[in-house]
Amino acid sequence: MHTIIVVWQRQSNWGEDLEGLEEELSRITGIDRLIKFAPYVASERLNGVINESNKRSIGYAAAKDLGATHYMHIDCDEMHVPDTFNKAIGYRDWE
């Protein structure tokens, strides 16, 4: 079973508002669970690192609660080649 969990935030790590993101995400088919994340916003250099680590932990906990045997986080700016990805997870009908 494949489950897609999206942990998202309306506000960037530096305080910019991403209005309309929740509505846009809710229209995407294939997302099984949306989890809203409230970032800690400060002017500290490591602010983004802390928030991203916390988001990954939330996604991991959600996958664990669903009984996942495998977990992989993907940031929104990462892309994967379908054939290579499918071989890595041992599944041929990912489309």
Side-chain angles (χ1 to χ4, degrees):
M1 175 180 91
H2 294 278
T3 300
I4 298 177
I5 301 166
V6 175
V7 181
W8 67 281
Q9 61 194 66
R10 181 177 169 166
Q11 189 178 41
S12 78
N13 292 324
W14 301 106
E16 294 104 5
D17 189 40
L18 306 170
E19 188 175 333
L21 181 59
E22 183 172 16
E23 294 79 20
E24 188 174 332
L25 288 171
S26 67
R27 288 192 298 267
I28 298 173
T29 58
I31 296 175
D32 300 298
R33 189 167 176 194
L34 285 172
I35 301 171
K36 187 174 182 178
F37 174 75
Y40 171 72
V41 179
S43 60
E44 300 169 18
R45 186 168 185 249
L46 292 177
N47 187 51
V49 173
I50 293 166
N51 285 330
E52 296 307 312
S53 179
N54 289 339
K55 278 199 307 192
R56 289 181 182 108
S57 295
I58 290 168
Y60 172 76
K64 188 175 177 183
D65 288 346
L66 291 171
T69 58
H70 296 75
Y71 169 77
M72 181 174 77
H73 76 267
I74 302 173
D75 292 331
C76 65
D77 59 348
E78 294 177 354
M79 305 208 32
H80 297 273
V81 178
D83 289 340
T84 305
F85 182 75
N86 289 336
K87 287 177 187 174
I89 63 172
Y91 187 71
R92 304 279 182 208
D93 291 324
W94 182 247
E95 311 292 342

